[in-house]
Amino acid sequence: MELELTETQRLIRDTARTFARDVVAPRARDTDRLERFPVDVYRQMGELGLLGVNVPEEYGGAGAGAVSYALAMMEISHACASTSVGMAVTNMSSELICQIGTEAQKRKYVPELVNGKLVAGAFALSEPHAGSDPGAGKTTAVKRGDRWILNGTKQWITSGQYAGVLVVWARTSNDGNKGLSCFLVEKGTAGLSYSKPEDKLGLRGSNTVQVILENVELTDAHLLGKLGDGFKLAMIALDGGRIGIASQACGVARAALEASVKYSKERHAFGHAIGDFQALRFMMADMATSQQAAELLTLRAAFLKDSKRPFTREASMAKLFASEMSNKVCDKAVQIHGGYGYIDEFPVERYLRDARVQTIYEGTSEIQRVVIAREILKAAGA
Ligand code: CAA
């Protein structure tokens, strides 16, 4: 799809596209099969500005905006979704610290997060019993003297074991959503440990762990934002994060479509390339149409974010539509490949496995519908 992009947006997209093609794609199969968390790739992405695309230049970011970020996410995801999910969470964490953090926190963490020195950032919100409802989180932060003592278990933490700094949500009072606060926890802090990585259906090259906090001692310097503001900060960060996951879905689906078009020209049956048959042509027409519709929704949400206009509804619409779309498109891609789609000789089985979580993480499709409906009704009320 060619839209009227600014020079900066084109530059970021092309940088990501070249890096994805030359560095990320050739190793994507091994990243998945051998469950290799790509530390050196993140370091290189840091050097290229891809870990802080929407982070101001004064903190080491590219300062290129949300549309640029979405375009970069689409390109890296086209090559490897295991790699792009860590990229997404690092961008989300560094952006949040930049938006909310004190000057000291920004100077301390953001430049090294976005240049890849800290490898990755992590977003530790969910807990074993609290995924869709983060306000039910039980991890506590109790003040003793000038120390905060954190205890609890965070679940499904992307890049958890590798992240140089983790944004961690903990309960500072029993006041439901208003009792959550947000802390910055550095790798290596005493009392911080991890479960063994989850054995996942897809995104097998990404690292997903429980993060365990046992009497982790922090000070006020680690408190991110105001006491009790944690839930709102999570929602603000997730609005942007959902643009990232929508972009990931668009990238994976585009890769699945391209693989299908190629295969349909190469594979012959009944004396014809299978792409000559209308059954497959119609499938590919639907795949291409819905993939492009998802890109437009995603870029629209990113454009609104760049324009400093409300984009909660649009980010949820993009995430809902793009993630459902990528699951359908990847499923059809396997169908078009027939038996070969079901084995790892072709990449489409990986695309399908990687797409599956997109309707679940950063808010399930059901949660996106809750958000969209609320926003529509709120707007109608106003
Ligand atoms: N921006 C700013 N503020 C917001 C907001 C937003 N988008 N959404 C809600 N808020 C505010 C509300 O205005 C409200 O403020 P007041 O108390 O001042 O009125 C407050 O937050 C509470 O809002 P709600 O009453 O709407 O809260 P709720 O408990 O009903 O929950 C929800 C709403 C949308 C269901 C929310 O819980 C949610 O998004 N759940 C999904 C969580 C999620 O996406 N988790 C993903 C984990 S991270 C991950 O997956 C990362 C990874 O590793 C890939």
Side-chain angles (χ1 to χ4, degrees), residues 360-372:
I360 299 171
Y361 64 11
E362 298 217 11
T364 60
S365 288
E366 293 68 33
I367 289 292
Q368 305 312 325
R369 289 186 174 95
V370 168
V371 173
I372 295 163

Side-chain angles (χ1 to χ4, degrees), residues 24-33 76-82 201-204 251-264 266 287 326-327 329-356 358:
V24 184
R27 51 197 281 173
R29 183 169 179 269
D30 279 358
T31 300
D32 172 67
R33 286 279 145 188
I76 303 297
S77 306
H78 179 266
C80 177
S82 282
L201 172 69
L203 298 186
R204 293 181 66 82
V252 172
R254 180 161 59 82
L257 172 63
E258 287 169 6
S260 302
V261 171
K262 183 167 181 286
Y263 187 76
S264 76
E266 290 166 0
M287 289 158 79
S326 72
N327 274 274
V329 165
C330 294
D331 182 61
K332 288 295 180 208
V334 169
Q335 189 68 20
I336 288 169
H337 283 71
Y340 289 102
Y342 201 62
I343 60 173
D344 88 333
E345 195 177 322
F346 287 86
V348 288
E349 62 85 30
R350 169 165 59 88
Y351 300 150
L352 181 61
R353 287 187 289 104
D354 286 349
R356 189 60 194 87
Q358 289 160 0

Side-chain angles (χ1 to χ4, degrees), residues 51-374:
L51 297 182
V53 179
N54 193 25
V55 165
E57 284 170 283
E58 63 172 312
Y59 300 109
V67 168
S68 298
Y69 169 61
L71 292 166
M73 270 298 293
M74 287 176 195
E75 295 301 330
I76 303 297
S77 306
H78 179 266
C80 177
S82 282
T83 302
S84 76
V85 68
M87 169 185 170
V89 176
T90 305
N91 272 278
M92 187 161 68
S93 311
S94 47
E95 244 189 81
L96 181 64
I97 300 171
C98 260
Q99 268 177 300
I100 308 296
T102 61
E103 196 52 35
Q105 288 169 336
K106 291 188 218 179
R107 298 262 167 234
K108 180 161 188 204
Y109 297 110
V110 178
E112 294 197 346
L113 256 181
V114 304
N115 72 16
K117 196 161 173 220
L118 294 180
V119 183
F123 194 85
L125 175 66
S126 301
E127 298 192 7
H129 60 279
S132 289
D133 181 14
K138 288 183 185 157
T139 294
T140 52
V142 177
K143 192 90 187 248
R144 279 202 207 116
D146 63 349
R147 303 271 142 175
W148 286 102
I149 314 293
L150 271 66
N151 279 289
T153 300
K154 309 306 286 190
Q155 177 95 351
W156 317 126
I157 309 309
T158 299
S159 308
Q161 256 174 310
Y162 293 88
V165 63
L166 301 97
V167 185
V168 174
W169 277 261
R171 180 161 295 292
T172 45
S173 84
N174 284 328
D175 195 8
N177 288 344
K178 291 189 168 61
L180 288 187
S181 302
C182 198
F183 294 87
L184 294 165
V185 182
E186 291 171 29
K187 187 178 172 64
T189 304
L192 182 69
S193 64
Y194 316 97
S195 68
K196 77 175 183 31
E198 302 292 351
D199 189 3
K200 307 189 295 289
L201 172 69
L203 298 186
R204 293 181 66 82
S206 79
N207 172 258
T208 310
V209 289
Q210 280 189 337
V211 170
I212 300 144
L213 303 122
E214 284 171 302
N215 294 319
V216 167
E217 283 192 30
L218 304 175
T219 66
D220 282 340
H222 298 97
L223 179 68
L224 181 65
K226 293 201 196 93
L227 213 55
D229 269 0
F231 185 87
K232 275 193 195 179
L233 297 184
M235 293 300 113
I236 290 167
L238 282 167
D239 282 346
R242 286 165 186 164
I243 294 176
I245 300 306
S247 308
Q248 183 188 63
C250 292
V252 172
R254 180 161 59 82
L257 172 63
E258 287 169 6
S260 302
V261 171
K262 183 167 181 286
Y263 187 76
S264 76
K265 289 174 166 232
E266 290 166 0
R267 174 78 177 176
H268 282 71
F270 307 103
H272 290 269
I274 59 173
D276 288 345
F277 295 112
Q278 198 174 49
L280 270 72
R281 288 182 163 226
F282 279 15
M283 266 192 227
M284 291 188 285
D286 288 345
M287 289 158 79
T289 305
S290 56
Q291 193 277 340
Q292 293 211 8
E295 280 196 10
L296 286 172
L297 270 180
T298 304
L299 293 174
R300 176 161 183 264
F303 170 78
L304 289 172
K305 183 175 176 192
D306 278 343
S307 316
K308 313 261 180 274
R309 280 145 71 187
F311 66 97
T312 299
R313 181 182 63 179
E314 286 73 13
S316 281
M317 285 176 166
K319 202 277 188 180
L320 170 64
F321 186 82
S323 61
E324 302 271 337
M325 173 283 296
S326 72
N327 274 274
K328 285 184 206 139
V329 165
C330 294
D331 182 61
K332 288 295 180 208
V334 169
Q335 189 68 20
I336 288 169
H337 283 71
Y340 289 102
Y342 201 62
I343 60 173
D344 88 333
E345 195 177 322
F346 287 86
V348 288
E349 62 85 30
R350 169 165 59 88
Y351 300 150
L352 181 61
R353 287 187 289 104
D354 286 349
R356 189 60 194 87
V357 74
Q358 289 160 0
T359 64
I360 299 171
Y361 64 11
E362 298 217 11
T364 60
S365 288
E366 293 68 33
I367 289 292
Q368 305 312 325
R369 289 186 174 95
V370 168
V371 173
I372 295 163
R374 277 187 188 180

Side-chain angles (χ1 to χ4, degrees), residues 8-20:
T8 304
Q9 290 162 350
R10 248 198 323 272
L11 178 70
I12 295 281
R13 182 201 59 189
D14 293 348
T15 302
R17 184 174 287 175
T18 306
F19 183 70

